[in-house]
Amino acid sequence: MYVLLTGLERLLAAYEPNPALIMDGRYDILTANRGVQALLGDLPKFLLEPPMNAIRITLHPEGLAPRIRNLSEWRAHLLERIDRQVTLRPSSELKELFNEVSAYPAPGSDGDGQAHASLGAEHYPLALPLQIQAGETILSLISTVTTFNTPMDVTVSELAVETFLPADPETAQALQVAMKGAPVV
């Protein structure tokens, strides 16, 4: 397992400046590259304490959720992903996570007027980008998840590498600038 994680950490570094992370089957972040760490810089400490959970960090009202410009769609995407996983391979831990994060306030549900405009399938017909505010810039990132199809170890079968690639030239440039030391957040 150590050899695999070492190789995967090299993979994450090669993805820089693009955000990339490795999660276990409960969406707990095992390791992440500097691209992810730059997005998480200003979050409350309680969300960043181990085990850091990618879904909780993303959807929690004190996490990334207030900065996600297309939160309604992104939230639905993540909840569908967990629900599908629980259906295919029942897990009480994942069901608890689903119940927790689905109870977080949904965009527009609290009357705060924060329902964010987003671009739907007519603009991005192939994949839903994560549109997240980073300072004065809105980053538009396409997510890919890689899993191991033929693992010889059950713990490896639960690993997932999630990468976020720029969906537009402005995002690519902003991530390049961030890697040179300028804050993204």
Side-chain angles (χ1 to χ4, degrees), residues 70-150:
N70 60 337
L71 181 57
S72 180
E73 292 88 353
W74 195 254
R75 179 180 187 273
H77 160 70
L78 292 180
L79 292 176
E80 178 185 317
R81 187 163 138 188
I82 298 171
D83 189 48
R84 182 176 54 244
Q85 216 174 332
V86 169
T87 300
L88 294 174
R89 188 171 35 164
S91 162
S92 61
E93 290 176 320
L94 278 182
K95 187 63 177 168
E96 286 175 26
L97 177 64
F98 178 86
N99 291 338
E100 174 191 336
V101 298
S102 64
Y104 293 160
S109 66
D110 57 1
D112 65 357
Q114 294 284 6
H116 304 296
S118 62
L119 301 171
E122 67 279 352
H123 191 67
Y124 293 105
L126 301 176
L128 175 69
L130 168 64
Q131 297 170 335
I132 187 165
Q133 188 79 38
E136 298 298 316
T137 305
I138 295 178
L139 301 178
S140 187
L141 301 161
I142 300 291
S143 166
T144 64
V145 178
T146 304
T147 59
F148 295 88
N149 243 4
T150 55

Side-chain angles (χ1 to χ4, degrees), residues 23-89:
M23 301 174 290
D24 65 16
R26 294 176 309 274
Y27 293 93
D28 289 340
I29 300 171
L30 302 177
T31 188
N33 70 6
R34 293 182 300 164
V36 168
Q37 293 166 354
L39 293 175
L40 303 180
D42 65 344
L43 296 183
K45 185 178 177 183
F46 76 91
L47 286 173
L48 300 176
E49 292 174 350
M52 290 187 336
N53 185 277
I55 302 292
R56 187 175 293 116
I57 288 171
T58 303
L59 297 180
H60 194 282
E62 293 181 59
L64 296 176
R67 295 187 0 230
I68 298 175
R69 307 299 5 130
N70 60 337
L71 181 57
S72 180
E73 292 88 353
W74 195 254
R75 179 180 187 273
H77 160 70
L78 292 180
L79 292 176
E80 178 185 317
R81 187 163 138 188
I82 298 171
D83 189 48
R84 182 176 54 244
Q85 216 174 332
V86 169
T87 300
L88 294 174
R89 188 171 35 164

